[in-house]
Amino acid sequence: MEKLTITTSFTVYASVNELPQDVAALMEQAVAVRKASYAPYSKFHVGAALLLENGQVVVGSNQENAAYPSGLCAERTAIFYAGAAFPGVKILKMAISAAAEEKVVTDPIPPCGACRQSIAEYELKQDTPIEIFFMGEEGKVYCSDSLKNLLPLTFGGEYL
Ligand code: THU
């Protein structure tokens, strides 16, 4: 028997003011699209902005539904749109911002498990890491160099 230890690490920025300029601009787009998200049920609004290798920015926000499981998270809305509109173009960075209607979200809000799995598919396919920056409405911004830090022991197509 042996014990397997997996370490993961994140860069922590004290606020958006510390971000590199290109990432701050991407986060601004995530915030803008977050404000237009459709979240009448949870009242929790999430925006995601992706920077593609061709310089294009693709955005997405959470889209809820009265039949709750039919809704979709911001990250998957954005990543599926990128896959549909720009097939074969690598995704380099993802910025995520989340806000609630009834409180100020200061914790960095990471992508949910299903979004992590979906992002993993694209990272594995393009064989280039996706840098993921996530925050609440204000406060710290966490950065993961790759989806792998958020989802160690990733399940991918190579197992099939
Ligand atoms: N949500 C996202 O958009 N991304 C996540 O990674 C976590 C959750 C959305 C889904 C739902 O519309 C609302 O936040 C509350 O769960």
Side-chain angles (χ1 to χ4, degrees):
M1 198 187 84
E2 62 176 304
K3 191 167 187 173
L4 174 66
T5 305
I6 298 174
T7 53
T8 183
S9 74
F10 299 89
T11 303
V12 180
Y13 296 90
S15 78
V16 280
N17 300 325
E18 275 192 1
L19 291 173
Q21 217 181 335
D22 63 326
V23 179
L26 195 65
M27 189 59 85
E28 255 180 53
Q29 300 207 51
V31 169
V33 72
R34 182 197 84 208
K35 290 180 178 166
S37 94
Y38 179 62
Y41 304 105
S42 72
K43 303 188 189 308
F44 191 77
H45 300 269
V46 186
L50 311 179
L51 176 66
L52 310 189
E53 67 175 344
N54 64 2
Q56 187 84 32
V57 173
V58 168
V59 296
S61 62
N62 52 328
Q63 299 296 317
E64 297 189 347
N65 192 282
Y68 290 3
S70 300
L72 196 64
C73 292
E75 296 88 331
R76 275 176 289 163
T77 304
I79 209 153
F80 293 158
Y81 177 39
F86 302 99
V89 181
K90 289 182 182 179
I91 299 160
L92 303 182
K93 297 176 202 278
M94 173 180 264
I96 306 163
S97 170
E101 288 180 22
E102 275 140 35
K103 62 174 182 178
V104 179
V105 178
T106 54
D107 290 325
I109 304 296
C112 77
C115 286
R116 293 179 200 199
Q117 184 64 36
S118 296
I119 299 165
E121 183 73 25
Y122 288 78
E123 189 171 281
L124 289 167
K125 174 164 70 97
Q126 68 182 31
D127 199 23
T128 302
I130 301 174
E131 263 188 296
I132 305 173
F133 297 81
F134 52 95
M135 66 178 299
E137 187 175 355
E138 56 182 50
K140 288 180 183 165
V141 184
Y142 282 11
C143 170
S144 172
D145 292 342
S146 157
L147 186 273
K148 289 191 181 112
N149 294 325
L150 285 159
L151 192 64
L153 293 181
T154 308
F155 178 81
E158 71 273 22
Y159 294 130
L160 301 177

